[in-house]
Amino acid sequence: MEQYQQLLRGNKEWATQKIQEDPEYFTRLVNVQRPDYLWIGCADSRVPPNEITMTQPGEIFIHRNVANLVIHTDMNMLSVLQYAVEVLEVKHIIVCGHYGCGGVKAAMSNHSFGMINKWIRHIKDVYRLHETEIKELSTEEDRLNRLIEVNIIEQVFHVAETSIVQQAWKKRQAPQLHGWVYDLHNGIINPLIEVPAGSPLPHAIYQYDNLEGAV
Ligand code: CO
């Protein structure tokens, strides 16, 4: 059997098992998608959102990319965000990064990695904002870990800086924003920051004052 066929075989086993445990499982899922959470996470294969939070299909709306970035011109992320906030009306948005993130590590180096330079360039900008604090740390590992943390916090504010979220805050006093970091060594998620709906932004220049009909 080809290696990839194991995935299809695994899928059949999973579907059979689900029906055995709960004959209505798929019928229920087909009929309604009403997740309370939007998860913006790293594409890293070691950080599967449902598995590490013990949630089921249907519970988390998920967007993943290299180093869990929220870039204000990224149509893919913005489409997910708009749908999650305006149609699904999620209550929480979680940006979850992880220690040992290869994307952040690459951004911290001076090495060129090809096309992905354009993407991780955004992490270099985060580094520049926090350079003084990061440089004070004594080991390379500590510096990398801190950049991973401040990158998550910056991305949470990027979410808050969108007109999509600011409109929702005004309209329904939600969603709440969270920045979490996952530790590959022990499987534990540590919360770094919580931003309740309506919080003032760290930089007022990103606050919109004419949100009616804004995109
Ligand atoms: Co990563």
Side-chain angles (χ1 to χ4, degrees):
M1 187 168 67
E2 296 270 358
Q3 195 185 9
Y4 75 90
Q5 287 175 323
Q6 287 176 10
L7 270 63
L8 297 170
R9 198 176 65 172
N11 165 257
K12 281 203 184 72
E13 263 177 50
W14 173 80
T16 311
Q17 199 184 319
K18 283 289 172 193
I19 291 173
Q20 275 170 1
E21 288 167 6
D22 175 4
E24 299 301 310
Y25 184 80
F26 291 107
T27 321
R28 264 202 325 275
L29 269 180
V30 163
N31 291 329
V32 64
Q33 179 184 227
R34 204 76 191 173
D36 287 331
Y37 306 96
L38 166 62
W39 175 285
I40 300 173
C42 185
D44 194 302
S45 64
R46 298 165 296 179
V47 194
N50 284 126
E51 204 166 330
I52 64 174
T53 56
M54 280 191 84
T55 47
Q56 296 297 319
E59 290 189 69
I60 309 185
F61 201 60
I62 296 170
H63 179 76
R64 295 171 74 176
N65 60 38
V66 171
N68 40 271
L69 299 184
V70 176
I71 310 301
H72 67 281
T73 51
D74 176 3
M75 293 303 287
N76 185 353
M77 179 280 298
L78 288 169
S79 305
V80 169
L81 182 69
Q82 186 188 11
Y83 188 76
V85 171
E86 294 179 7
V87 181
L88 300 173
E89 297 193 318
V90 294
K91 297 185 178 84
H92 300 273
I93 299 177
I94 298 151
V95 176
C96 186
H98 63 102
Y99 294 123
C101 185
V104 178
K105 197 175 178 185
M108 235 179 140
S109 80
N110 293 101
H111 194 79
S112 167
F113 295 91
M115 201 286 295
I116 200 171
N117 290 342
K118 313 310 185 221
W119 185 252
I120 60 178
R121 153 70 205 263
H122 296 289
I123 310 167
K124 290 182 187 285
D125 294 341
V126 174
Y127 179 88
R128 182 161 49 82
L129 285 171
H130 299 272
E131 191 169 17
T132 317
E133 181 198 344
I134 291 168
K135 274 190 167 167
E136 272 171 15
L137 299 167
S138 51
T139 70
E140 190 64 24
E141 198 189 353
D142 286 348
R143 287 191 290 271
L144 174 61
N145 286 346
R146 189 57 190 151
L147 181 57
I148 284 163
E149 291 171 356
V150 293
N151 179 55
I152 293 164
I153 293 166
E154 288 293 335
Q155 305 314 314
V156 169
F157 285 117
H158 288 178
V159 176
E161 286 157 10
T162 62
S163 50
I164 297 165
V165 164
Q166 288 181 24
Q167 256 176 330
W169 280 2
K170 219 171 163 183
K171 193 179 142 200
R172 60 179 177 95
Q173 292 71 54
Q176 185 169 20
L177 314 183
H178 308 263
W180 292 355
V181 63
Y182 174 77
D183 193 333
L184 294 170
H185 293 101
N186 59 15
I188 298 295
I189 294 171
N190 287 309
L192 296 172
I193 188 172
E194 222 173 86
V195 181
S199 297
L201 303 178
H203 299 282
I205 193 71
Y206 298 107
Q207 184 75 52
Y208 295 104
D209 57 11
N210 62 330
L211 284 163
E212 215 50 56
V215 178

